[in-house]
């Protein structure tokens, strides 16, 4: 993963908009750079902005929500962080933003917005739901928030913890920072695999030591016997194949007979059901035939109904036919006369066409003149009506003027009599403004009281959460100490049991003793053959001329079996202790993770408590100031009212 560009606005001490382009030639050519500056300059804010844009959270403040946003700069109404990064899956832009209502500094916090999109400019939005963006970022970068803050960004305080830790703690911290816990597990498994393979090698080496080298005559005899066995094996294989084929054939026949029996039973069952179904089958057959003929029957019924209607209409038409024929003849005669008259009219119209055209022109001129006269008359009527309305309006204005003059005289007389009350207008206006201001102060005071109640509840909740996390942390720490003590006791017990040797050495010794017991038992069984051995003469079995067991001094088996029993007991005890140590290590690892989680939760709860405490103090100071302003406003209004 490579960060290409960072943009952010109004985060902690860095108010306003900021942009860092890591693709600038100066960054690329130098290869390495550092963030420097005095305390409070905003170094950690840049790192927080990267975490905020990617995961909606920071190592110092945790997750940013609608109810808590301590990273937004004071006296600002919005903030955002945007990171453009590149991974093996391509280039992506991740944006996180939050604002207050109406983007005012005193507005309520709104729900944060978080999205990730492809490309750099105008890329397709991959995900915009707040809970799913972190999963997409993890998919594209291969790192969740915890791994990112361990391997990419080391939070404040993490390096100080590393410097003050001992060797074992430094190793674990380095594993947490670099995410290399898996290599410890790989090393442990490689060590176990090496130990197991070495034990197998020792066993094989011990077995090889007991292998006897055959003489050429014995080898030839064994080869001949092997050939005979191979030939017998081939014969048996052929017989087995034939027998298997016969068995398969018989099995198939038996299966077919079973199928025939099953089919016979099924056929008899179907015949019984068919006999029982016979009455219903007849009904079904008739019903199916009826269904097939239903369409034809409906068509025939419709045709018959239409035929009856047509026959009625045909009878009525036959009755009215003479009458219609007479009327038709009359209409034909009238049509011929009308055609003759039409021809005569066309001739007359053709002769009169010029006159008609001239008449139409004159009619058009007459219509235009009449329209002009009508418009003039309408204008005259409107002017006359307007003149009448103006006269009425003038009379009304005169009446209003006279009435206003009368009222003016009355007002002047009243003002002359009450000249000392002239200041009341401005005074009442000031009182109204002061009352409005007092009401606004009271509303703001009520809202602040509600905010203080909420802040108190948040503070109580944070204190309770912090107390619970602290109890859980102490409990986990105590369990971890107990687990470590038990682990040390088990380790001391195992070391005391094994001494300076390893468990695999005891296992190898046990295997050797077992083989020795088997060998001694075999020697004891050859009592008759041992009596025939003579020193200086070769043994017929191995060819050796020295015979240490010829005179009957075979080592006692009971001593060796006693050693084997002791070794078995020791090995079982050591294996039990090793299993207990592994279980304790797993439990210890689980407790350490739980302890780290509780410590992180305690830090978050402490931050929430501090933030809630700061918020409560701010609200208390604001409420006190509002009370003072309201008291001053009320005193001012009281002083003004006393003048009345």
């Amino acid at each position: 993963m490579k960060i290409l560009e960072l943009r952010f606005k109004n985060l902690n001490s860095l108010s306003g908009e900021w942009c860092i382009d890591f693709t600038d030639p100066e960054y690329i050519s130098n290869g390495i750079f550092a963030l420097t500056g005095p305390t409070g300059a905003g170094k950690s804010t840049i790192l927080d902005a990267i975490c905020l844009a990617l995961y909606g959270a920071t190592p110092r403040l945790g997750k940013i929500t609608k109810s808590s946003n301590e990273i937004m700069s004071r006296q600002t109404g919005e903030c955002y962080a945007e990171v453009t990064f590149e991974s093996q899956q391509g280039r992506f832009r991740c944006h996180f933003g939050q604002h207050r209502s109406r983007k005012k500094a005193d507005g309520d916090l709104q729900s944060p917005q978080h999205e990730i999109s492809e490309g750099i400019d105008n890329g397709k939005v991959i995900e915009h739901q707040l809970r799913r963006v972190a999963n997409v970022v993890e998919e594209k970068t291969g790192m969740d928030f915890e791994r990112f803050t361990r391997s990419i960004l080391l939070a404040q305080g993490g390096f100080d913890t590393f410097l003050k830790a001992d060797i074992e703690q430094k190793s674990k911290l380095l594993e947490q920072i670099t995410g290399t816990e898996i290599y410890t597990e790989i090393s442990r498994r490689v060590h176990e695999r090496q130990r197991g393979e070495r034990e197998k090698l020792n066993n094989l080496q011990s077995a090889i030591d007991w292998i006897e080298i055959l003489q050429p005559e014995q080898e030839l005899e064994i080869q001949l016997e092997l050939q005979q066995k191979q030939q017998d094996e081939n014969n048996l294989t052929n017989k087995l194949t034939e027998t298997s084929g016969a068995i398969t054939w018989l099995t198939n026949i038996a299966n077919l007979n079973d199928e025939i029996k099953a089919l016979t039973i099924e056929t008899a069952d179907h015949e019984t059901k068919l006999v029982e179904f016979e009455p219903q089958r007849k009904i079904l057959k008739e019903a199916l035939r009826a269904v097939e003929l239903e369409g034809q029957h409906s068509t025939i019924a419709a045709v018959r109904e239409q035929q009856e209607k047509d026959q009625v209409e045909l009878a009525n038409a036959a009755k009215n036919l003479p009458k219609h024929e007479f009327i038709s003849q009359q209409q034909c005669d009238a049509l011929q006369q009308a055609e003759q008259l039409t021809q005569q009219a066309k001739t007359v119209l053709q002769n009169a066409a010029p006159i008609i055209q001239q008449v139409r022109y004159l009619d058009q001129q007459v219509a235009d003149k009449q329209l002009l006269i009508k418009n003039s008359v309408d204008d005259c009527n409107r002017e006359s009506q307007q003149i009448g309305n103006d006269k009425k309006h003038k009379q009304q204005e005169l009446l209003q003027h006279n009435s206003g003059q009368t009222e003016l005289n009355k007002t002047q007389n009243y003002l002359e009599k009450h000249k000392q009350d002239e200041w009341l207008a401005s005074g009442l206006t000031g009182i109204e403004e002061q009352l409005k201001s007092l009401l606004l102060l009271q509303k703001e005071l009520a809202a602040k009281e509600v905010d203080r109640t909420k802040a108190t509840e948040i503070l109580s909740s944070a204190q309770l959460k912090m107390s619970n996390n602290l109890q859980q942390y102490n409990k986990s720490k105590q369990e971890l100490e107990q687990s470590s003590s038990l682990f040390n006791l088990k380790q001391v017990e195992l070391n005391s049991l094994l001494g300076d040797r390893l468990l695999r050495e005891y296992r190898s010794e046990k295997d050797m003793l077992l083989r020795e017991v088997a060998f001694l038992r075999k020697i004891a069984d050859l009592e008759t053959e041992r009596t025939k051995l003579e020193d200086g003469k070769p043994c017929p079995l191995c060819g050796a001329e020295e015979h240490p067991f010829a005179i009957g001094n075979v080592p006692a088996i009971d001593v060796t079996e006693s050693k084997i029993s002791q070794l078995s007991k020791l090995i079982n005890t050591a294996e039990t202790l090793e299993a207990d140590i592994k279980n304790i290590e797993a439990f210890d690892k689980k407790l350490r993770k739980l302890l780290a989680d509780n410590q992180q939760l305690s830090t978050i709860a402490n931050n929430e408590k501090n933030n809630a405490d700061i918020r409560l103090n701010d609200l208390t100071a604001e409420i006190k100031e509002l009370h003072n302003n309201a008291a001053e406003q009320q005193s001012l209004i009281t002083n003004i009212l006393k003048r009345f």
Side-chain angles (χ1 to χ4, degrees), residues 383-400:
E383 292 294 335
S384 299
Q385 187 177 2
Q386 184 66 32
I387 290 170
N389 293 334
D390 291 342
K391 288 181 179 179
K392 292 179 181 180
H393 185 67
K394 181 178 179 182
Q395 292 176 358
Q396 292 176 357
E397 290 292 333
L398 287 173
L399 291 175
Q400 290 180 359

Side-chain angles (χ1 to χ4, degrees), residues 370-464:
Q370 288 177 350
L371 180 61
L372 182 61
I373 292 170
K374 183 180 178 182
N375 293 334
S376 300
V377 171
D378 292 340
D379 291 339
C380 290
N381 292 333
R382 282 197 297 272
E383 292 294 335
S384 299
Q385 187 177 2
Q386 184 66 32
I387 290 170
N389 293 334
D390 291 342
K391 288 181 179 179
K392 292 179 181 180
H393 185 67
K394 181 178 179 182
Q395 292 176 358
Q396 292 176 357
E397 290 292 333
L398 287 173
L399 291 175
Q400 290 180 359
H401 176 71
N402 295 331
S403 176
Q405 189 66 37
T406 304
E407 291 292 332
L408 179 62
N409 294 331
K410 291 180 180 180
T411 303
Q412 288 178 349
N413 294 331
Y414 180 82
L415 290 175
E416 188 68 25
K417 291 179 181 180
H418 302 83
K419 187 179 291 184
Q420 65 275 12
D421 298 335
E422 215 176 281
W423 65 276
L424 284 175
S426 60
L428 289 174
T429 302
I431 291 173
E432 289 178 356
E433 294 297 328
Q434 296 293 336
L435 287 173
K436 288 180 182 179
S437 178
L438 181 60
L439 289 174
L440 290 175
L441 285 173
Q442 289 177 349
K443 289 181 180 179
E444 188 176 358
L445 184 61
K448 294 295 183 182
E449 288 288 349
V450 173
D451 291 341
R452 184 168 69 173
T453 303
K454 292 181 180 179
T456 305
E457 293 175 355
I458 292 172
L459 179 60
S460 301
S461 176
Q463 288 176 345
L464 179 60

Side-chain angles (χ1 to χ4, degrees), residues 490 493-494 497 503 507 568-584:
K490 293 289 184 181
E493 186 177 354
L494 179 62
L497 180 65
L503 181 58
R507 289 172 178 161
S568 299
K569 185 177 180 181
L570 185 144
I571 290 170
N572 292 333
T573 306
E575 288 178 347
T576 304
L577 289 174
E578 281 190 345
D580 293 341
I581 289 172
K582 288 182 180 179
N583 294 333
I584 293 170

